[in-house]
């Protein structure tokens, strides 16, 4: 089965703790993305990566960090510096490479992780 | 402000009717994409339309793009209860640009 997976589906943390969300894809895609979705809202881009060992900040990167050590994996850490971390987090991947541009092709999304921080 | 803005915010119809959702954007684009999201799930890509295209079809879906008006519409014909979901447009401004998502239209199809 080819696809993109996120784990866990639900995550609960106490305020002040860092938490890492997992995202894995076996689609052989170069580009990977992290988005945040708040209730009734669209998606906002947190970080993206065009290639292994390279990533860029999106529109709302403050309080988040990522790594891209393997093509298949793009974990997101929500740090204690993120003021309002409770949200639905979506990971996506696409074929896009530097020659074609990030989003020349459609993005494939994982099922999401709902993070609740209390 | 959002590059893509959907209209209406919510749409409620009966099974068998057509559903039309609109998306407006502010700057020129490379392509525009439509996605569907079932409640609590990830997004699923529906259609991508490039800036030099005016219309695309996929099954019961029809997407139009009017670059002079900076707008796009998604038409779902003969809707089914299973079409109930949120629909998002996403725009890509340049070849190297990121996708920017609108806030979505919530479609409810009553059996």
């Amino acid at each position: 089965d080819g696809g993109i997976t996120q784990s866990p589906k639900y995550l609960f943390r106490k305020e002040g703790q860092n938490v890492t969300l997992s995202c894995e894809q076996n689609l052989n895609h170069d580009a990977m993305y992290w988005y945040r979705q708040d209730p009734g809202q669209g998606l906002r881009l947190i970080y993206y990566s065009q290639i292994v060992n390279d990533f860029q900040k999106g529109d709302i990167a403050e309080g988040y960090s990522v790594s891209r050590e393997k093509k298949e994996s793009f974990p997101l850490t929500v740090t204690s510096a993120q003021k309002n971390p409770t949200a639905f987090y979506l990971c996506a991947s696409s074929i896009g490479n530097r020659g074609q541009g990030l989003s020349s092709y459609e993005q494939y999304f994982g099922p999401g992780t709902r993070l609740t921080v209390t | 402000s959002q590059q893509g803005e959907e209209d209406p915010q919510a749409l409620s119809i009966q099974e068998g009717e057509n559903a039309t959702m609109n998306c407006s954007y502010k700057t020129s684009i490379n392509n525009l994409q439509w996605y569907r999201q079932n409640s609590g799930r990830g997004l699923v890509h529906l259609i991508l339309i490039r800036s030099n295209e005016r219309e695309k079809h996929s099954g019961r879906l029809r997407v139009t793009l009017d670059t002079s008006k900076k707008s796009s519409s998604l038409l779902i014909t003969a809707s089914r209860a299973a079409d109930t979901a949120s629909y998002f447009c996403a725009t890509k401004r340049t070849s190297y640009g990121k996708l920017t998502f609108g806030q979505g239209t919530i479609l409810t199809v009553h059996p």
Side-chain angles (χ1 to χ4, degrees), chain A residues 37 42 98 101 103 106-107 110, chain B residues 35 37 42 45 92 95-96 102:
Chain A
Q37 186 178 32
R98 290 186 180 182
S103 308
E106 64 266 32
Q107 294 186 10
Chain B
Y35 289 80
Q37 183 181 34
H45 179 263
K92 181 169 175 293
S95 297
Y96 293 91

Side-chain angles (χ1 to χ4, degrees), chain A residues 9 35 37 40-43 45 48 58-59 88 90 98-107 109-111 114, chain B residues 2 30-31 33 35 37 40-45 48 50 88 92 95-104 106:
Chain A
K9 189 173 175 63
Y35 294 93
Q37 186 178 32
Q41 302 292 314
L43 278 64
L45 183 64
Y48 62 99
D59 300 317
F88 188 47
L90 288 158
R98 290 186 180 182
Q100 293 292 329
L102 266 182
S103 308
S104 294
Y105 305 95
E106 64 266 32
Q107 294 186 10
F109 283 81
R114 190 167 298 280
Chain B
Q2 292 283 347
N30 176 281
N31 69 62
Q33 304 179 26
Y35 289 80
Q37 183 181 34
R41 303 286 188 90
L43 278 68
V44 174
H45 179 263
L48 182 154
R50 302 192 187 279
F88 295 90
K92 181 169 175 293
S95 297
Y96 293 91
K98 302 164 286 186
L99 273 182
T100 301
F101 286 82
Q103 296 193 345
I106 300 172

Side-chain angles (χ1 to χ4, degrees), chain A residues 22-108:
Chain A
S22 167
C23 177
E24 305 277 332
Q25 55 99 359
N26 61 4
L27 301 167
N28 200 33
H29 285 169
D30 287 311
M32 296 187 75
Y33 315 80
W34 273 106
Y35 294 93
R36 170 187 171 130
Q37 186 178 32
D38 293 284
Q41 302 292 314
L43 278 64
R44 292 184 290 168
L45 183 64
I46 305 173
Y47 267 99
Y48 62 99
S49 168
Q50 297 182 71
I51 201 164
V52 175
N53 293 323
D54 182 57
F55 50 82
Q56 282 82 40
K57 293 181 180 179
D59 300 317
I60 55 164
E62 186 175 346
Y64 300 97
S65 65
V66 294
S67 62
R68 186 87 187 277
E69 296 175 2
K70 298 187 299 182
K71 188 175 187 177
E72 303 79 21
S73 179
F74 191 40
L76 173 75
T77 297
V78 184
T79 74
S80 57
Q82 167 51 231
K83 291 184 173 57
N84 186 18
T86 294
F88 188 47
Y89 290 87
L90 288 158
C91 180
S93 69
S94 70
I95 294 174
N97 56 58
R98 290 186 180 182
Q100 293 292 329
L102 266 182
S103 308
S104 294
Y105 305 95
E106 64 266 32
Q107 294 186 10
Y108 292 77

Side-chain angles (χ1 to χ4, degrees), chain B residues 5 13 17 19 35 45 63 67 72 74 82 86 96 102 108:
Chain B
E5 294 186 4
I13 60 174
E17 294 180 341
Y35 289 80
H45 179 263
V63 167
T67 53
S72 173
L74 170 66
S86 293
Y96 293 91
T108 304

Side-chain angles (χ1 to χ4, degrees), chain B residues 51-69:
Chain B
S51 59
N52 60 352
E53 297 175 313
R54 292 296 166 258
E55 188 171 310
K56 284 190 91 167
H57 296 255
S58 176
R60 294 183 296 112
L61 306 181
R62 172 177 167 250
V63 167
T64 61
L65 178 64
D66 187 334
T67 53
S68 66
K69 294 181 180 177

